[in-house]
Amino acid sequence: MDRLDRFSLFAIIILLISSLALMGNHMGEARSRLDDQQKGTSKSPVINSKIEHKVKSIRDILDGGNLVKAEILAKELIQEHLLEGEPRILMGDIFMRKHEPIMAVLEYKEAIDINPDYLDRQTPMFQGKKMEVAVKEALSEIERNIEKNPEDKSMKKYRKDVYYLQRRLAGGCS
């Protein structure tokens, strides 16, 4: 190896070390920015702060067993905040307590159309488990009603909505 070869080898080694150091430094910066973004999303409230208190009070009424009052308040909340999914989730919960799974599925469907994060297992907003229960109950009720009256067009439409929610729960296309 002559002098030029040693100098070239030394220059290549220095370039490799410096490029690895720069890449490692920039990768750390990108990762910390990503961590900051993830921390920011996890700190964000699950419910809009404007309706959080109302939703909590309606849930307390629902837990107390007063379904009629909870339903009236939830319907008012839906009318006030049309672009929020939480009142729809609340209304679906009320319908499930009233043993009306078909209506619950329709409310859950509206909620996920407004905010698909209700189906994302990675968010604190995840509501998929109770939606799966509602879908199973609604399908069995729809099938019973269709057996009794095969010409019932409303049940066939409800079945399409239930299938839509079932696909969304499975992660399929909308």
Side-chain angles (χ1 to χ4, degrees):
M1 244 186 178
D2 64 353
R3 185 174 173 186
L4 184 59
D5 290 336
R6 278 188 249 138
F7 179 73
S8 298
L9 184 62
F10 181 70
I12 291 172
I13 290 173
I14 288 186
L15 286 174
L16 280 174
I17 291 172
S18 61
S19 63
L20 287 175
L22 285 173
M23 287 190 323
N25 188 20
H26 286 294
M27 287 177 71
E29 286 177 9
R31 184 170 289 132
S32 67
R33 279 190 222 135
L34 181 62
D35 290 343
D36 291 343
Q37 289 174 350
Q38 288 173 346
K39 288 176 187 171
T41 57
S42 65
K43 289 180 184 176
S44 64
V46 174
I47 302 171
N48 183 343
S49 61
K50 294 177 184 176
I51 64 171
E52 183 176 12
H53 179 70
K54 291 179 183 178
V55 168
K56 186 177 179 339
S57 65
I58 295 171
R59 284 219 185 269
D60 291 341
I61 293 169
L62 183 61
D63 291 339
N66 193 345
L67 296 177
V68 175
K69 186 175 180 181
E71 184 175 3
I72 291 168
L73 293 173
K75 285 181 180 178
E76 288 175 5
L77 193 59
I78 288 171
Q79 291 302 317
E80 292 172 13
H81 302 280
L82 294 174
L83 299 178
E84 291 292 331
E86 191 63 27
R88 295 287 185 169
I89 293 288
L90 189 59
M91 197 67 199
D93 294 346
I94 292 169
F95 282 128
M96 284 301 289
R97 294 253 180 114
K98 291 173 65 177
H99 303 288
E100 297 178 23
I102 296 172
M103 298 307 294
V105 165
L106 296 177
E107 291 296 331
Y108 291 148
K109 178 185 169 293
E110 290 294 322
I112 65 166
D113 285 344
I114 292 169
N115 188 352
D117 283 345
Y118 292 118
L119 297 179
D120 187 0
R121 294 182 191 276
Q122 305 300 320
T123 65
M125 301 171 80
F126 179 66
Q127 302 288 319
K129 295 287 185 193
K130 66 180 167 186
M131 288 183 192
E132 288 173 358
V133 171
V135 164
K136 287 178 185 174
E137 289 182 21
L139 273 176
S140 66
E141 186 174 322
I142 288 169
E143 293 305 322
R144 277 195 311 268
N145 289 336
I146 288 178
E147 261 183 38
K148 291 177 187 174
N149 184 6
E151 301 301 318
D152 191 354
K153 293 191 187 294
S154 64
M155 284 297 137
K156 291 180 180 180
K157 185 208 174 295
Y158 291 149
R159 184 170 52 187
K160 285 183 181 181
D161 290 333
V162 170
Y163 285 156
Y164 168 80
L165 184 58
Q166 193 175 35
R167 281 192 315 271
R168 292 294 305 264
L169 285 166
C173 299
S174 55

